[in-house]
Amino acid sequence: MMKRVYIADNAASAWNIKNLLQQCNIDSEVKNDQLYSVAGEVPVTECMPEVWVDTAVYERARELVLESESREDIVEPDWICKKCRETNTGQFAICWSCQTPMAGESD
Ligand SMILES: [Zn+2]
């Protein structure tokens, strides 16, 4: 069984949470994130991206989510990915969309 562990403001933070959980070997699913590109008739509040995990790992996942939320109090500037031009929140060093590091490829 799956349980919702996080409701994100935007697709980027949902994917950031998924990445965070993945780093701790917790599988998760992001739901609703693609509705943003469909646009139009669905009110934003009804297509907030959600992160779901198995109930077996829910407690641990929830802890990690809360931890990451408390870390968000430290405001770091958003950055734009050099490769795909997506906006990323400052505390993440890797693009949520294409996994390119913030610094980009050094040349
Ligand atoms: Zn990118």
Side-chain angles (χ1 to χ4, degrees):
M1 264 190 52
M2 302 289 286
K3 191 168 175 177
R4 189 181 63 208
V5 73
Y6 186 68
I7 301 172
D9 295 334
N10 53 64
S13 47
W15 282 96
N16 280 328
I17 291 293
K18 182 179 168 64
N19 284 341
L20 173 84
L21 295 175
Q22 198 134 42
Q23 281 162 24
C24 301
N25 296 316
I26 296 173
D27 285 331
S28 58
E29 269 181 41
V30 174
K31 303 191 181 191
N32 296 343
D33 65 315
Q34 67 277 73
L35 291 178
Y36 277 87
S37 50
V38 177
E41 6 181 305
V42 184
V44 170
T45 47
E46 284 181 27
C47 58
M48 298 290 269
E50 298 174 347
V51 182
W52 289 63
V53 297
D54 195 277
T55 47
V57 295
Y58 174 81
E59 291 298 331
R60 172 141 170 73
R62 187 70 196 150
E63 264 176 41
L64 290 165
V65 168
L66 291 175
E67 233 174 71
S68 90
E69 281 181 333
S70 64
R71 250 182 287 146
E72 278 170 22
D73 293 344
I74 306 159
V75 178
E76 295 183 48
D78 289 357
W79 54 282
I80 310 269
C81 178
K82 287 176 182 157
K83 192 174 168 192
C84 69
R85 315 307 298 172
E86 288 288 352
T87 302
N88 291 273
T89 44
Q91 75 269 32
F92 293 98
I94 292 175
C95 176
W96 65 271
S97 176
C98 71
Q99 276 78 51
T100 297
M102 188 193 319
E105 278 122 44
S106 55
D107 57 351

